Amino acid sequence: MLAVLGFATIAVFLYAIMTKRLSVLVALILIPTIAGLLAGAGPGLGKMMLDGIGRVAPVGVMIIFAVLYFGLMLDVGLFDPMIRRLLRLVKGDPIKVALATAVLTMAVALDGDGATTFLITVSAMLPLYQRLGMDRLVLSGIVALGAGVMNILPWGGPTVRAMAALKADSSVLFNPVVPAMAVGIVWVLFVAYILGRRERVRLGRLSLDGTTAGPQPVSLSAARNTLAGNTVADLPLDAEARLPATEGKVALERPWLFWFNAVLTLVLVVALLMAWLPLPVLFVLAFAIALPVNHPNWDQQQKHLVAHAVSVVTVSTMIFAAGIFTGVLTGTKMIDAMAAAAVSVIPPSLAGYLPVIVAVTSMPLSLVFTPDAYYFGVLPVLAQTASSLGVDPVLVGRGAILGQMTTGFPLSPLTASTFILIGLCGVNLGDHQRFIFPWAFGTTLVMTAVAFATGVLG
């Protein structure tokens, strides 16, 4: 009965959020609460919820301060010089334009916000594509691939959700897949080269005359203004709308700040990968250092916090609500019962390959499941099933982040940021999916192969 109730809970959860009967936040709280009452866990339900919240608290703190830190770095113009140099270097060569698109996308995607990545990158590169007559599907496709690979970062949507669902630290879940991610980045550059070469064959090497102004990168403030018409509740974790920021590019007013921010960010990234301190602590310290240096005035600091308040609240409430969901399903033993039922239909000979199977299938499944539905509804059952078969659940989590929403989110019709991307590029969703799906699936296969070869998946 517990297994039936568990599967019914997940089915109702998936139905409620995929049909938009309930917001993800409400569904994560109310549906498991009702299920817990039906399971007879009334008196202990509160403790289960608190236990679940306690397990995801470090993840919640990490993502809050990651949003604040990288939002600050974008606001003060840390990445602006790179954008301008890229635009100067590409000139009229379609190959260079395609490679610059990939590099710019992956750099801007460091903040983990898919929508802002699309807005900044497409706004910077689209005029150049139009001036050269390059296919806009190449632009949308390369941006999708670059943002997808970078979405695996610990403060990006998939890994944050996976850590919350599995109660796992990023040093265990993410760090081992860094080599696979690095190869994924190289793969994206390779695909960009191939697509750029096709455009060069089709168009030849063109030159830009001096009569037309070159493309200008959009500021983060302008990006947020573009997003202002979206309802925050309708956007996924990787595409939260942010309020318009009013602060100027302080790094341009005080040039030494650029080097300070660049060194601080480099040290932070190294510390994250080396796990010198717990990730939440690293982001807390980095933000506490960066904010007063960039904004010595108290009023400016408050403006920055207010500008990012929507993102912070949206992300943190979702994480803690996910803790309630998994806490109830775990505390009532529903996950155990569901895993036992799943184990009975999985041949033991395939147990060792379960993480690989999850990795390969998770990318196509991103076109069917929203990230919340997959990570909070499907992944816990897969993880518990793996545990019952003697496989470390973390291996399944690694497999999930290699495909589900890592290379699938910029193609999924269930992800709001996908429509931001195709809308800015002016392409049709079906054309976009047909054009880039084989390359996106190839990204998953390449990263999965590297992860398997390096022992990351078992």
Side-chain angles (χ1 to χ4, degrees):
M1 286 299 295
L2 277 178
V4 172
L5 181 59
F7 284 119
T9 300
I10 292 177
V12 172
F13 170 73
L14 297 178
Y15 173 79
I17 64 175
M18 294 178 73
T19 60
K20 297 187 177 180
R21 302 280 180 178
L22 294 173
S23 70
V24 175
L25 180 66
V26 173
L28 283 169
I29 297 171
L30 289 186
I31 292 175
T33 300
I34 295 172
L37 292 174
L38 293 175
L45 203 56
K47 185 179 184 303
M48 295 176 191
M49 292 179 174
L50 287 177
D51 288 344
I53 292 173
R55 293 190 190 102
V56 301
V59 176
V61 172
M62 183 202 72
I63 190 64
I64 288 171
F65 283 91
V67 168
L68 290 173
Y69 180 83
F70 282 105
L72 175 63
M73 292 299 106
L74 283 168
D75 285 347
V76 300
L78 175 62
F79 301 106
D80 286 3
M82 184 190 69
I83 294 174
R84 289 194 296 270
R85 286 193 185 94
L86 283 174
L87 294 178
R88 284 199 299 265
L89 286 172
V90 297
K91 300 190 183 298
D93 188 350
I95 292 180
K96 291 182 179 179
V97 171
L99 289 171
T101 303
V103 172
L104 178 59
T105 300
M106 290 186 285
V108 177
L110 279 171
D111 80 329
D113 187 341
T116 299
T117 299
F118 297 155
L119 284 161
I120 293 176
T121 306
V122 175
S123 297
M125 301 303 299
L126 181 58
L128 192 57
Y129 276 74
Q130 293 174 323
R131 184 74 184 87
L132 297 176
M134 292 179 64
D135 191 346
R136 286 175 295 179
L137 284 172
V138 173
L139 173 59
S140 66
I142 294 174
V143 172
L145 291 181
V149 170
M150 297 305 290
N151 207 32
I152 201 174
L153 290 167
W155 50 91
T159 307
V160 165
R161 290 180 176 92
M163 287 191 295
L166 300 179
K167 287 86 177 177
D169 185 79
S170 70
S171 62
V172 175
L173 188 66
F174 167 74
N175 286 12
V177 303
V178 169
M181 180 181 176
V183 173
I185 291 173
V186 174
W187 169 262
V188 171
L189 295 174
F190 169 74
V191 174
Y193 173 81
I194 295 297
L195 297 179
R197 190 174 65 177
R198 288 182 184 177
E199 288 297 282
R200 179 196 273 181
V201 171
R202 185 174 69 89
L203 299 171
R205 181 165 180 163
L206 307 174
S207 62
L208 297 173
D209 57 53
T211 60
T212 303
Q216 296 296 323
V218 68
S219 68
L220 189 59
S221 298
R224 288 180 182 148
N225 281 320
T226 304
L227 283 175
N230 292 296
T231 302
V232 176
D234 294 335
L235 297 178
L237 186 61
D238 55 60
E240 299 93 1
R242 296 177 180 173
L243 296 178
T246 56
E247 63 267 26
K249 302 289 186 180
V250 297
L252 302 181
E253 300 166 5
R254 291 177 283 162
W256 63 269
L257 273 179
F258 171 82
W259 298 109
F260 173 84
N261 290 328
V263 172
L264 180 61
T265 301
L266 178 61
V267 171
L268 173 62
V269 172
V270 172
L272 291 170
L273 296 177
M274 301 298 293
W276 289 344
L277 290 172
L279 262 69
V281 175
L282 288 172
F283 274 112
V284 168
L285 291 174
F287 179 69
I289 294 170
L291 183 61
V293 172
N294 286 275
H295 296 305
N297 185 280
W298 182 86
D299 289 334
Q300 292 176 334
Q301 295 174 15
Q302 289 300 109
K303 285 180 180 179
H304 175 76
L305 294 174
V306 170
H308 293 266
V310 173
S311 293
V312 169
V313 171
T314 302
V315 171
S316 59
T317 53
M318 193 77 68
I319 294 299
F320 292 125
I324 291 176
F325 186 89
T326 56
V328 172
L329 264 63
T330 301
T332 56
K333 306 298 183 183
M334 279 189 272
I335 284 186
D336 292 337
M338 287 187 287
V343 167
S344 64
V345 298
I346 296 178
S349 59
L350 294 179
Y353 296 99
L354 185 59
V356 176
I357 294 172
V358 170
V360 172
T361 59
S362 61
M363 189 271 168
L365 287 177
S366 67
L367 303 178
V368 180
F369 292 105
T370 66
D372 300 301
Y374 186 86
Y375 284 100
F376 299 141
V378 178
L379 181 58
V381 177
L382 293 174
Q384 191 64 30
T385 301
S387 180
S388 301
L389 292 170
V391 177
D392 188 349
V394 172
L395 301 182
V396 173
R398 293 173 189 165
I401 65 175
L402 286 173
Q404 172 68 22
M405 305 313 291
T406 299
T407 52
F409 94 90
L411 287 80
S412 174
L414 304 175
T415 308
S417 56
T418 299
F419 294 97
I420 295 175
L421 173 61
I422 64 173
L424 288 170
C425 293
V427 299
N428 178 268
L429 176 61
D431 294 338
H432 170 67
Q433 290 176 328
R434 283 190 294 272
F435 178 80
I436 206 61
F437 181 89
W439 296 109
F441 194 35
T443 308
T444 293
L445 294 178
V446 168
M447 293 172 67
T448 300
V450 174
F452 182 75
T454 55
V456 170
L457 297 180

